[in-house]
Each structure stands twice: as C-alpha cells, then as structure tokens.
C-alpha cells in the first residue's frame, strides 16, 4: 500500500513563511509527477505546484508564482513546498500528490492558517 505524509503546516502571520514536506512510502514505483494541491474553505481543491520526477520541470498556479517554490528532496520520494509572502487567501488544507502508473495518490493534508 501507498502512504503519503505531509508536515509543516501551522499558523503564520501574513507576510511570513512556511515549508511543507511530504514523504511517500510503501509500494510505489516509477513516480512521474509530485505536487501540492490545496482546498480553501468553500471552494474545490486546486493545483498549487507540480514538479516532474525526471527533469525537475515545475509548474505553478498563477496565484502563487514568485512566492512559492516546489522542490524535490535528496530522497526521490520526498517533495517540499516553500511558501513565502503568505497571504490570508493562502489559508487552506494543503495536500501532497504523487502520480505513478497513471494513478494519483494523496496525503491526508496539513492545515495552513494565515492571520492578517
């Protein structure tokens, strides 16, 4: 079975920073894409950022470009999301995603709260 565990969420003031981590474990192989999504209260889950496992090509939602940075850890089953200049509208549950064999696997989410 596959398990994705997120960490690093918490409460931060507007303009502050957080670094989210995700570690995948279990029977998962040939990962093609790793990424982060978020769900803001009252809205559907949306893409934040992705990174390809092969060449490290990144993709960001327009709303976070220039503020968030996605990266892979030394371990290929690890992905990070560095969030800078956080805004109240960034508050959400952030979910890690790993895609392998045409299947997307999801973590349980980590709460990010931004106070104004």
């Amino acid at each position: 079975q596959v398990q994705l565990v997120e960490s690093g969420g918490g409460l931060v003031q507007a303009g502050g920073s957080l670094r989210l981590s995700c570690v995948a474990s279990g029977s998962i192989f040939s990962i093609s894409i790793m990424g982060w999504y978020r769900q803001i209260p009252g809205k559907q889950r949306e893409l934040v950022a992705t990174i390809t496992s092969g060449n490290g090509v990144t993709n960001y939602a327009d709303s976070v470009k220039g503020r968030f940075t996605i990266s892979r850890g030394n371990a290929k089953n690890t992905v990070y999301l560095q969030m800078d200049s956080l805004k109240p509208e960034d508050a959400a549950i952030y979910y890690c995603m790993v895609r392998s064999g045409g299947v997307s696997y999801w973590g349980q989410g980590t709460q990010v709260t931004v106070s104004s």
Side-chain angles (χ1 to χ4, degrees):
Q1 58 184 10
V2 176
Q3 184 177 15
L4 277 61
V5 179
E6 303 103 331
S7 62
L11 174 64
V12 64
Q13 293 183 340
S17 299
L18 285 173
R19 184 175 177 85
L20 306 183
S21 300
C22 174
V23 179
S25 62
S27 57
I28 185 168
F29 305 95
S30 300
I31 296 172
S32 59
I33 300 174
M34 305 184 76
W36 292 91
Y37 286 66
R38 68 187 181 187
Q39 187 163 17
I40 298 170
K43 298 183 178 181
Q44 66 182 60
R45 190 175 300 184
E46 63 183 13
L47 180 145
V48 177
T50 60
I51 184 168
T52 63
S53 296
N55 297 320
V57 177
T58 59
N59 183 49
Y60 296 92
D62 288 341
S63 60
V64 306
K65 286 181 178 177
R67 299 189 298 119
F68 291 10
T69 304
I70 189 170
S71 62
R72 296 171 296 178
N74 290 331
K76 293 185 178 181
N77 64 333
T78 303
V79 63
Y80 301 99
L81 184 68
Q82 177 67 42
M83 305 185 294
D84 298 320
S85 301
L86 282 161
K87 304 175 181 179
E89 51 262 45
D90 293 319
I93 300 175
Y94 284 72
Y95 297 90
C96 179
M97 185 277 294
V98 172
R99 190 164 183 83
S100 177
V103 178
S104 296
Y105 300 91
W106 299 88
Q108 293 300 113
T110 184
Q111 178 71 55
V112 172
T113 303
V114 184
S115 62
S116 59

